[in-house]
Amino acid sequence: MASIKAKTAQEILMNDFQTLVSDTERLLEHTKSIAGDQADELRDQIHDSLLRARETLKLTEDSLRERGQAAVTATEDYVQANPWQSVGIAAGVGFLIGLLATRR
């Protein structure tokens, strides 16, 4: 469920950034020939797109933080429930890393 929310938030974020880039390109293109109200309107559109992108980025950050906290909690619970198995796994991983490090 959290991964679905994260993917949806990523897609929304990408769309918002694409819109922001598109609006910026339009602003740069029209800035040469447009003055006054039209330039202000384009700036307002870019500002709105940037605000939406920031909000989406915040939602994505919150979602990732929640998923990370859930992973930490699950790991802590597993280690507390199976301390000797956890020590064995850690020793095995350390041994493999040591082997790989000495091969170089």
Side-chain angles (χ1 to χ4, degrees), residues 17-41:
F17 278 123
Q18 288 173 351
T19 302
L20 179 63
V21 169
S22 173
D23 289 346
T24 303
E25 289 172 349
R26 282 183 23 210
L27 177 63
L28 292 174
E29 190 66 32
H30 294 316
T31 301
K32 299 174 186 172
S33 61
I34 298 176
D37 293 338
Q38 290 177 339
D40 291 339
E41 181 181 336

Side-chain angles (χ1 to χ4, degrees), residues 11-27 42 45-50 52-53:
E11 291 170 2
I12 292 170
L13 181 62
M14 290 302 295
N15 288 336
D16 286 345
F17 278 123
Q18 288 173 351
T19 302
L20 179 63
V21 169
S22 173
D23 289 346
T24 303
E25 289 172 349
R26 282 183 23 210
L27 177 63
L42 226 75
Q45 288 175 358
I46 290 172
H47 186 325
D48 292 342
S49 295
L50 184 58
R52 282 194 311 270

Side-chain angles (χ1 to χ4, degrees), residues 1 11-12 28 31 33 35-36 45 61 75 77-78 80-82 86 89 92 102:
M1 174 108 159
E11 291 170 2
I12 292 170
L28 292 174
T31 301
S33 61
Q45 288 175 358
E61 178 185 353
T75 302
D77 291 344
Y78 179 81
Q80 289 177 0
N82 305 301
S86 300
I89 291 170
T102 58

Side-chain angles (χ1 to χ4, degrees), residues 60-74:
T60 303
E61 178 185 353
D62 292 343
S63 173
L64 291 175
R65 183 169 289 139
E66 288 175 12
R67 288 177 53 205
Q69 185 61 38
V72 166
T73 302

